[in-house]
PDB file of all heavy atoms in Angstrom:
ATOM      1  N   SER A   1     195.514  65.166 128.538  1.00  0.00           N
ATOM      2  CA  SER A   1     196.499  64.142 129.116  1.00  0.00           C
ATOM      3  C   SER A   1     197.482  64.816 129.950  1.00  0.00           C
ATOM      4  O   SER A   1     197.788  64.288 131.038  1.00  0.00           O
ATOM      5  CB  SER A   1     197.163  63.330 127.932  1.00  0.00           C
ATOM      6  OG  SER A   1     196.240  62.567 127.219  1.00  0.00           O
ATOM      7  N   GLY A   2     198.052  65.968 129.501  1.00  0.00           N
ATOM      8  CA  GLY A   2     198.992  66.633 130.329  1.00  0.00           C
ATOM      9  C   GLY A   2     198.459  67.023 131.677  1.00  0.00           C
ATOM     10  O   GLY A   2     199.141  66.843 132.727  1.00  0.00           O
ATOM     11  N   ARG A   3     197.226  67.493 131.580  1.00  0.00           N
ATOM     12  CA  ARG A   3     196.605  67.968 132.951  1.00  0.00           C
ATOM     13  C   ARG A   3     196.345  66.767 133.875  1.00  0.00           C
ATOM     14  O   ARG A   3     196.643  66.806 135.014  1.00  0.00           O
ATOM     15  CB  ARG A   3     195.307  68.609 132.561  1.00  0.00           C
ATOM     16  CG  ARG A   3     194.447  69.042 133.785  1.00  0.00           C
ATOM     17  CD  ARG A   3     193.121  69.661 133.445  1.00  0.00           C
ATOM     18  NE  ARG A   3     192.487  70.155 134.650  1.00  0.00           N
ATOM     19  CZ  ARG A   3     191.239  70.628 134.634  1.00  0.00           C
ATOM     20  NH1 ARG A   3     190.570  70.624 133.508  1.00  0.00           N
ATOM     21  NH2 ARG A   3     190.713  71.072 135.712  1.00  0.00           N
ATOM     22  N   GLU A   4     195.837  65.676 133.228  1.00  0.00           N
ATOM     23  CA  GLU A   4     195.597  64.461 134.036  1.00  0.00           C
ATOM     24  C   GLU A   4     196.893  63.920 134.621  1.00  0.00           C
ATOM     25  O   GLU A   4     196.942  63.511 135.856  1.00  0.00           O
ATOM     26  CB  GLU A   4     194.905  63.367 133.165  1.00  0.00           C
ATOM     27  CG  GLU A   4     193.486  63.674 132.829  1.00  0.00           C
ATOM     28  CD  GLU A   4     192.880  62.810 131.803  1.00  0.00           C
ATOM     29  OE1 GLU A   4     193.587  61.845 131.428  1.00  0.00           O
ATOM     30  OE2 GLU A   4     191.710  62.972 131.399  1.00  0.00           O
ATOM     31  N   LEU A   5     197.959  63.841 133.799  1.00  0.00           N
ATOM     32  CA  LEU A   5     199.206  63.326 134.342  1.00  0.00           C
ATOM     33  C   LEU A   5     199.754  64.251 135.441  1.00  0.00           C
ATOM     34  O   LEU A   5     200.321  63.780 136.443  1.00  0.00           O
ATOM     35  CB  LEU A   5     200.208  63.184 133.215  1.00  0.00           C
ATOM     36  CG  LEU A   5     199.896  62.051 132.133  1.00  0.00           C
ATOM     37  CD1 LEU A   5     200.682  62.258 130.893  1.00  0.00           C
ATOM     38  CD2 LEU A   5     200.237  60.710 132.819  1.00  0.00           C
ATOM     39  N   PHE A   6     199.676  65.591 135.224  1.00  0.00           N
ATOM     40  CA  PHE A   6     200.162  66.509 136.188  1.00  0.00           C
ATOM     41  C   PHE A   6     199.390  66.291 137.535  1.00  0.00           C
ATOM     42  O   PHE A   6     199.988  66.153 138.572  1.00  0.00           O
ATOM     43  CB  PHE A   6     199.858  67.918 135.684  1.00  0.00           C
ATOM     44  CG  PHE A   6     200.045  69.013 136.779  1.00  0.00           C
ATOM     45  CD1 PHE A   6     201.225  69.367 137.331  1.00  0.00           C
ATOM     46  CD2 PHE A   6     198.875  69.628 137.272  1.00  0.00           C
ATOM     47  CE1 PHE A   6     201.283  70.256 138.357  1.00  0.00           C
ATOM     48  CE2 PHE A   6     198.897  70.576 138.190  1.00  0.00           C
ATOM     49  CZ  PHE A   6     200.210  70.935 138.758  1.00  0.00           C
ATOM     50  N   GLU A   7     198.069  66.238 137.432  1.00  0.00           N
ATOM     51  CA  GLU A   7     197.276  66.125 138.638  1.00  0.00           C
ATOM     52  C   GLU A   7     197.523  64.797 139.357  1.00  0.00           C
ATOM     53  O   GLU A   7     197.578  64.757 140.674  1.00  0.00           O
ATOM     54  CB  GLU A   7     195.810  66.308 138.286  1.00  0.00           C
ATOM     55  CG  GLU A   7     195.470  67.737 137.939  1.00  0.00           C
ATOM     56  CD  GLU A   7     194.061  67.930 137.459  1.00  0.00           C
ATOM     57  OE1 GLU A   7     193.247  66.894 137.310  1.00  0.00           O
ATOM     58  OE2 GLU A   7     193.620  69.078 137.278  1.00  0.00           O
ATOM     59  N   LYS A   8     197.672  63.735 138.677  1.00  0.00           N
ATOM     60  CA  LYS A   8     197.871  62.427 139.275  1.00  0.00           C
ATOM     61  C   LYS A   8     199.330  62.278 139.819  1.00  0.00           C
ATOM     62  O   LYS A   8     199.551  61.695 140.863  1.00  0.00           O
ATOM     63  CB  LYS A   8     197.561  61.327 138.371  1.00  0.00           C
ATOM     64  CG  LYS A   8     196.144  61.116 138.019  1.00  0.00           C
ATOM     65  CD  LYS A   8     195.916  60.000 137.009  1.00  0.00           C
ATOM     66  CE  LYS A   8     194.395  59.933 136.753  1.00  0.00           C
ATOM     67  NZ  LYS A   8     194.092  58.988 135.734  1.00  0.00           N
ATOM     68  N   SER A   9     200.319  62.751 139.083  1.00  0.00           N
ATOM     69  CA  SER A   9     201.661  62.554 139.507  1.00  0.00           C
ATOM     70  C   SER A   9     202.185  63.480 140.506  1.00  0.00           C
ATOM     71  O   SER A   9     202.955  63.158 141.468  1.00  0.00           O
ATOM     72  CB  SER A   9     202.643  62.583 138.221  1.00  0.00           C
ATOM     73  OG  SER A   9     202.171  61.545 137.351  1.00  0.00           O
ATOM     74  N   CYS A  10     201.923  64.773 140.343  1.00  0.00           N
ATOM     75  CA  CYS A  10     202.533  65.815 141.149  1.00  0.00           C
ATOM     76  C   CYS A  10     201.987  65.846 142.566  1.00  0.00           C
ATOM     77  O   CYS A  10     202.682  66.274 143.469  1.00  0.00           O
ATOM     78  CB  CYS A  10     202.454  67.172 140.446  1.00  0.00           C
ATOM     79  SG  CYS A  10     203.353  67.066 138.849  1.00  0.00           S
ATOM     80  N   LYS A  11     200.669  65.480 142.678  1.00  0.00           N
ATOM     81  CA  LYS A  11     200.122  65.648 144.030  1.00  0.00           C
ATOM     82  C   LYS A  11     200.555  64.499 144.938  1.00  0.00           C
ATOM     83  O   LYS A  11     200.214  64.602 146.170  1.00  0.00           O
ATOM     84  CB  LYS A  11     198.540  65.572 143.902  1.00  0.00           C
ATOM     85  CG  LYS A  11     197.928  64.183 143.478  1.00  0.00           C
ATOM     86  CD  LYS A  11     196.424  64.359 143.485  1.00  0.00           C
ATOM     87  CE  LYS A  11     195.824  62.993 143.107  1.00  0.00           C
ATOM     88  NZ  LYS A  11     194.361  63.111 143.027  1.00  0.00           N
ATOM     89  N   LEU A  12     201.344  63.557 144.434  1.00  0.00           N
ATOM     90  CA  LEU A  12     201.878  62.533 145.308  1.00  0.00           C
ATOM     91  C   LEU A  12     202.783  63.142 146.385  1.00  0.00           C
ATOM     92  O   LEU A  12     202.897  62.559 147.435  1.00  0.00           O
ATOM     93  CB  LEU A  12     202.583  61.490 144.480  1.00  0.00           C
ATOM     94  CG  LEU A  12     201.816  60.676 143.577  1.00  0.00           C
ATOM     95  CD1 LEU A  12     202.660  59.800 142.633  1.00  0.00           C
ATOM     96  CD2 LEU A  12     200.785  59.769 144.278  1.00  0.00           C
ATOM     97  N   CYS A  13     203.484  64.195 146.026  1.00  0.00           N
ATOM     98  CA  CYS A  13     204.498  64.762 146.983  1.00  0.00           C
ATOM     99  C   CYS A  13     204.105  66.142 147.448  1.00  0.00           C
ATOM    100  O   CYS A  13     204.675  66.528 148.525  1.00  0.00           O
ATOM    101  CB  CYS A  13     205.864  64.850 146.206  1.00  0.00           C
ATOM    102  SG  CYS A  13     206.526  63.270 145.697  1.00  0.00           S
ATOM    103  N   HIS A  14     203.372  66.949 146.747  1.00  0.00           N
ATOM    104  CA  HIS A  14     203.028  68.234 147.144  1.00  0.00           C
ATOM    105  C   HIS A  14     201.727  68.748 146.587  1.00  0.00           C
ATOM    106  O   HIS A  14     201.190  68.083 145.630  1.00  0.00           O
ATOM    107  CB  HIS A  14     204.191  69.248 146.838  1.00  0.00           C
ATOM    108  CG  HIS A  14     204.579  69.252 145.351  1.00  0.00           C
ATOM    109  ND1 HIS A  14     203.702  69.867 144.389  1.00  0.00           N
ATOM    110  CD2 HIS A  14     205.534  68.706 144.736  1.00  0.00           C
ATOM    111  CE1 HIS A  14     204.334  69.669 143.238  1.00  0.00           C
ATOM    112  NE2 HIS A  14     205.390  68.964 143.371  1.00  0.00           N
ATOM    113  N   GLY A  15     201.151  69.793 147.103  1.00  0.00           N
ATOM    114  CA  GLY A  15     199.945  70.383 146.615  1.00  0.00           C
ATOM    115  C   GLY A  15     200.120  70.838 145.224  1.00  0.00           C
ATOM    116  O   GLY A  15     201.258  71.438 144.805  1.00  0.00           O
ATOM    117  N   LEU A  16     199.093  70.784 144.359  1.00  0.00           N
ATOM    118  CA  LEU A  16     199.160  71.207 142.992  1.00  0.00           C
ATOM    119  C   LEU A  16     199.310  72.761 142.935  1.00  0.00           C
ATOM    120  O   LEU A  16     199.950  73.271 141.975  1.00  0.00           O
ATOM    121  CB  LEU A  16     197.925  70.726 142.214  1.00  0.00           C
ATOM    122  CG  LEU A  16     197.733  69.233 142.053  1.00  0.00           C
ATOM    123  CD1 LEU A  16     196.484  68.913 141.343  1.00  0.00           C
ATOM    124  CD2 LEU A  16     199.021  68.593 141.542  1.00  0.00           C
ATOM    125  N   ASP A  17     198.771  73.467 143.876  1.00  0.00           N
ATOM    126  CA  ASP A  17     198.895  74.882 143.864  1.00  0.00           C
ATOM    127  C   ASP A  17     200.314  75.369 143.985  1.00  0.00           C
ATOM    128  O   ASP A  17     200.663  76.402 143.432  1.00  0.00           O
ATOM    129  CB  ASP A  17     198.023  75.578 145.011  1.00  0.00           C
ATOM    130  CG  ASP A  17     198.474  75.053 146.393  1.00  0.00           C
ATOM    131  OD1 ASP A  17     198.906  73.833 146.512  1.00  0.00           O
ATOM    132  OD2 ASP A  17     198.232  75.764 147.328  1.00  0.00           O
ATOM    133  N   ARG A  18     201.139  74.611 144.501  1.00  0.00           N
ATOM    134  CA  ARG A  18     202.538  74.921 144.595  1.00  0.00           C
ATOM    135  C   ARG A  18     203.219  75.041 143.184  1.00  0.00           C
ATOM    136  O   ARG A  18     203.907  75.974 142.918  1.00  0.00           O
ATOM    137  CB  ARG A  18     203.284  73.820 145.402  1.00  0.00           C
ATOM    138  CG  ARG A  18     204.790  74.122 145.553  1.00  0.00           C
ATOM    139  CD  ARG A  18     205.444  73.031 146.416  1.00  0.00           C
ATOM    140  NE  ARG A  18     206.891  73.241 146.471  1.00  0.00           N
ATOM    141  CZ  ARG A  18     207.667  72.417 147.081  1.00  0.00           C
ATOM    142  NH1 ARG A  18     207.217  71.378 147.788  1.00  0.00           N
ATOM    143  NH2 ARG A  18     208.964  72.650 147.057  1.00  0.00           N
ATOM    144  N   SER A  19     202.851  74.111 142.329  1.00  0.00           N
ATOM    145  CA  SER A  19     203.341  74.078 140.962  1.00  0.00           C
ATOM    146  C   SER A  19     202.740  75.251 140.175  1.00  0.00           C
ATOM    147  O   SER A  19     203.307  75.821 139.274  1.00  0.00           O
ATOM    148  CB  SER A  19     203.100  72.805 140.249  1.00  0.00           C
ATOM    149  OG  SER A  19     203.758  71.785 140.987  1.00  0.00           O
ATOM    150  N   LEU A  20     201.461  75.548 140.381  1.00  0.00           N
ATOM    151  CA  LEU A  20     200.716  76.458 139.590  1.00  0.00           C
ATOM    152  C   LEU A  20     200.913  77.901 140.070  1.00  0.00           C
ATOM    153  O   LEU A  20     200.396  78.855 139.410  1.00  0.00           O
ATOM    154  CB  LEU A  20     199.203  76.165 139.627  1.00  0.00           C
ATOM    155  CG  LEU A  20     198.886  74.727 139.042  1.00  0.00           C
ATOM    156  CD1 LEU A  20     197.445  74.468 139.161  1.00  0.00           C
ATOM    157  CD2 LEU A  20     199.386  74.601 137.598  1.00  0.00           C
ATOM    158  N   ALA A  21     201.669  78.083 141.104  1.00  0.00           N
ATOM    159  CA  ALA A  21     201.825  79.454 141.680  1.00  0.00           C
ATOM    160  C   ALA A  21     202.877  80.320 140.937  1.00  0.00           C
ATOM    161  O   ALA A  21     202.916  81.505 141.092  1.00  0.00           O
ATOM    162  CB  ALA A  21     202.343  79.374 143.157  1.00  0.00           C
ATOM    163  N   THR A  22     203.686  79.678 140.035  1.00  0.00           N
ATOM    164  CA  THR A  22     204.652  80.410 139.268  1.00  0.00           C
ATOM    165  C   THR A  22     204.442  80.201 137.788  1.00  0.00           C
ATOM    166  O   THR A  22     203.922  79.182 137.294  1.00  0.00           O
ATOM    167  CB  THR A  22     206.076  79.939 139.639  1.00  0.00           C
ATOM    168  OG1 THR A  22     206.236  78.570 139.383  1.00  0.00           O
ATOM    169  CG2 THR A  22     206.428  80.167 141.080  1.00  0.00           C
ATOM    170  N   ASN A  23     204.830  81.172 136.971  1.00  0.00           N
ATOM    171  CA  ASN A  23     204.750  81.108 135.585  1.00  0.00           C
ATOM    172  C   ASN A  23     206.176  80.925 135.024  1.00  0.00           C
ATOM    173  O   ASN A  23     207.098  81.699 135.341  1.00  0.00           O
ATOM    174  CB  ASN A  23     204.123  82.374 134.966  1.00  0.00           C
ATOM    175  CG  ASN A  23     202.657  82.479 135.385  1.00  0.00           C
ATOM    176  OD1 ASN A  23     201.971  81.544 135.559  1.00  0.00           O
ATOM    177  ND2 ASN A  23     202.254  83.740 135.714  1.00  0.00           N
ATOM    178  N   ARG A  24     206.349  79.958 134.182  1.00  0.00           N
ATOM    179  CA  ARG A  24     207.623  79.658 133.549  1.00  0.00           C
ATOM    180  C   ARG A  24     207.408  79.276 132.083  1.00  0.00           C
ATOM    181  O   ARG A  24     206.272  78.843 131.710  1.00  0.00           O
ATOM    182  CB  ARG A  24     208.294  78.497 134.272  1.00  0.00           C
ATOM    183  CG  ARG A  24     208.467  78.676 135.780  1.00  0.00           C
ATOM    184  CD  ARG A  24     209.045  77.435 136.391  1.00  0.00           C
ATOM    185  NE  ARG A  24     208.978  77.394 137.761  1.00  0.00           N
ATOM    186  CZ  ARG A  24     209.695  78.088 138.700  1.00  0.00           C
ATOM    187  NH1 ARG A  24     210.547  78.981 138.203  1.00  0.00           N
ATOM    188  NH2 ARG A  24     209.548  77.940 139.962  1.00  0.00           N
ATOM    189  N   ASP A  25     208.450  79.392 131.315  1.00  0.00           N
ATOM    190  CA  ASP A  25     208.311  78.907 129.920  1.00  0.00           C
ATOM    191  C   ASP A  25     208.500  77.417 129.829  1.00  0.00           C
ATOM    192  O   ASP A  25     208.890  76.750 130.798  1.00  0.00           O
ATOM    193  CB  ASP A  25     209.319  79.669 129.004  1.00  0.00           C
ATOM    194  CG  ASP A  25     210.712  79.425 129.278  1.00  0.00           C
ATOM    195  OD1 ASP A  25     211.084  78.529 130.137  1.00  0.00           O
ATOM    196  OD2 ASP A  25     211.564  80.157 128.704  1.00  0.00           O
ATOM    197  N   ALA A  26     208.338  76.822 128.637  1.00  0.00           N
ATOM    198  CA  ALA A  26     208.468  75.380 128.503  1.00  0.00           C
ATOM    199  C   ALA A  26     209.817  74.824 128.887  1.00  0.00           C
ATOM    200  O   ALA A  26     209.976  73.736 129.505  1.00  0.00           O
ATOM    201  CB  ALA A  26     208.099  75.032 127.052  1.00  0.00           C
ATOM    202  N   ALA A  27     210.875  75.600 128.607  1.00  0.00           N
ATOM    203  CA  ALA A  27     212.268  75.108 128.865  1.00  0.00           C
ATOM    204  C   ALA A  27     212.460  75.011 130.409  1.00  0.00           C
ATOM    205  O   ALA A  27     213.059  74.065 130.883  1.00  0.00           O
ATOM    206  CB  ALA A  27     213.256  76.057 128.280  1.00  0.00           C
ATOM    207  N   ALA A  28     211.942  75.977 131.110  1.00  0.00           N
ATOM    208  CA  ALA A  28     212.082  76.002 132.588  1.00  0.00           C
ATOM    209  C   ALA A  28     211.239  74.849 133.139  1.00  0.00           C
ATOM    210  O   ALA A  28     211.688  74.184 134.119  1.00  0.00           O
ATOM    211  CB  ALA A  28     211.663  77.361 133.124  1.00  0.00           C
ATOM    212  N   TRP A  29     209.989  74.673 132.603  1.00  0.00           N
ATOM    213  CA  TRP A  29     209.140  73.600 133.173  1.00  0.00           C
ATOM    214  C   TRP A  29     209.827  72.298 132.869  1.00  0.00           C
ATOM    215  O   TRP A  29     209.667  71.282 133.680  1.00  0.00           O
ATOM    216  CB  TRP A  29     207.712  73.671 132.517  1.00  0.00           C
ATOM    217  CG  TRP A  29     206.893  74.629 133.210  1.00  0.00           C
ATOM    218  CD1 TRP A  29     206.311  75.702 132.680  1.00  0.00           C
ATOM    219  CD2 TRP A  29     206.462  74.669 134.663  1.00  0.00           C
ATOM    220  NE1 TRP A  29     205.531  76.410 133.616  1.00  0.00           N
ATOM    221  CE2 TRP A  29     205.635  75.757 134.784  1.00  0.00           C
ATOM    222  CE3 TRP A  29     206.708  73.858 135.677  1.00  0.00           C
ATOM    223  CZ2 TRP A  29     205.073  76.049 136.092  1.00  0.00           C
ATOM    224  CZ3 TRP A  29     206.218  74.084 136.896  1.00  0.00           C
ATOM    225  CH2 TRP A  29     205.407  75.236 137.100  1.00  0.00           C
ATOM    226  N   ALA A  30     210.479  72.101 131.725  1.00  0.00           N
ATOM    227  CA  ALA A  30     211.114  70.777 131.367  1.00  0.00           C
ATOM    228  C   ALA A  30     212.199  70.488 132.398  1.00  0.00           C
ATOM    229  O   ALA A  30     212.322  69.306 132.826  1.00  0.00           O
ATOM    230  CB  ALA A  30     211.759  70.851 129.995  1.00  0.00           C
ATOM    231  N   VAL A  31     212.967  71.475 132.809  1.00  0.00           N
ATOM    232  CA  VAL A  31     213.981  71.225 133.877  1.00  0.00           C
ATOM    233  C   VAL A  31     213.358  70.750 135.147  1.00  0.00           C
ATOM    234  O   VAL A  31     213.786  69.875 135.839  1.00  0.00           O
ATOM    235  CB  VAL A  31     214.858  72.553 134.054  1.00  0.00           C
ATOM    236  CG1 VAL A  31     215.777  72.407 135.255  1.00  0.00           C
ATOM    237  CG2 VAL A  31     215.686  72.822 132.781  1.00  0.00           C
ATOM    238  N   ILE A  32     212.259  71.494 135.497  1.00  0.00           N
ATOM    239  CA  ILE A  32     211.563  71.213 136.812  1.00  0.00           C
ATOM    240  C   ILE A  32     210.997  69.803 136.782  1.00  0.00           C
ATOM    241  O   ILE A  32     211.156  68.982 137.776  1.00  0.00           O
ATOM    242  CB  ILE A  32     210.556  72.247 137.152  1.00  0.00           C
ATOM    243  CG1 ILE A  32     211.265  73.563 137.488  1.00  0.00           C
ATOM    244  CG2 ILE A  32     209.712  71.792 138.294  1.00  0.00           C
ATOM    245  CD1 ILE A  32     210.311  74.801 137.550  1.00  0.00           C
ATOM    246  N   VAL A  33     210.328  69.427 135.701  1.00  0.00           N
ATOM    247  CA  VAL A  33     209.718  68.158 135.589  1.00  0.00           C
ATOM    248  C   VAL A  33     210.771  67.025 135.647  1.00  0.00           C
ATOM    249  O   VAL A  33     210.630  65.988 136.319  1.00  0.00           O
ATOM    250  CB  VAL A  33     208.825  68.062 134.318  1.00  0.00           C
ATOM    251  CG1 VAL A  33     208.400  66.614 134.035  1.00  0.00           C
ATOM    252  CG2 VAL A  33     207.567  68.954 134.449  1.00  0.00           C
ATOM    253  N   LYS A  34     211.877  67.229 134.913  1.00  0.00           N
ATOM    254  CA  LYS A  34     213.007  66.284 134.983  1.00  0.00           C
ATOM    255  C   LYS A  34     213.527  66.125 136.410  1.00  0.00           C
ATOM    256  O   LYS A  34     213.715  64.988 136.847  1.00  0.00           O
ATOM    257  CB  LYS A  34     214.131  66.804 134.045  1.00  0.00           C
ATOM    258  CG  LYS A  34     215.221  65.753 133.921  1.00  0.00           C
ATOM    259  CD  LYS A  34     216.276  66.283 132.963  1.00  0.00           C
ATOM    260  CE  LYS A  34     217.387  65.254 132.842  1.00  0.00           C
ATOM    261  NZ  LYS A  34     218.489  65.815 131.889  1.00  0.00           N
TER     262      LYS A  34
END
C-alpha cells in the first residue's frame, strides 16, 4: 500500500527517482511527506 500510494501521489508533481535518490530515516521521511 505504501508503495502504491507513493507512486500514485508523488508522481503528480515530480519524478519518483527524485524521492528515491536519497536515503533518510523514518523521522526525516515523515517531515518530507508532511
Side-chain angles (χ1 to χ4, degrees):
S1 292
R3 180 183 184 188
E4 289 171 3
L5 289 164
F6 165 73
E7 290 174 352
K8 288 179 183 179
S9 300
C10 300
K11 73 178 179 183
L12 294 172
C13 298
H14 54 76
L16 299 180
D17 57 331
R18 180 177 176 183
S19 299
L20 300 176
T22 59
N23 295 326
R24 305 176 194 285
D25 65 9
W29 279 119
V31 169
I32 291 168
V33 169
K34 184 177 180 181

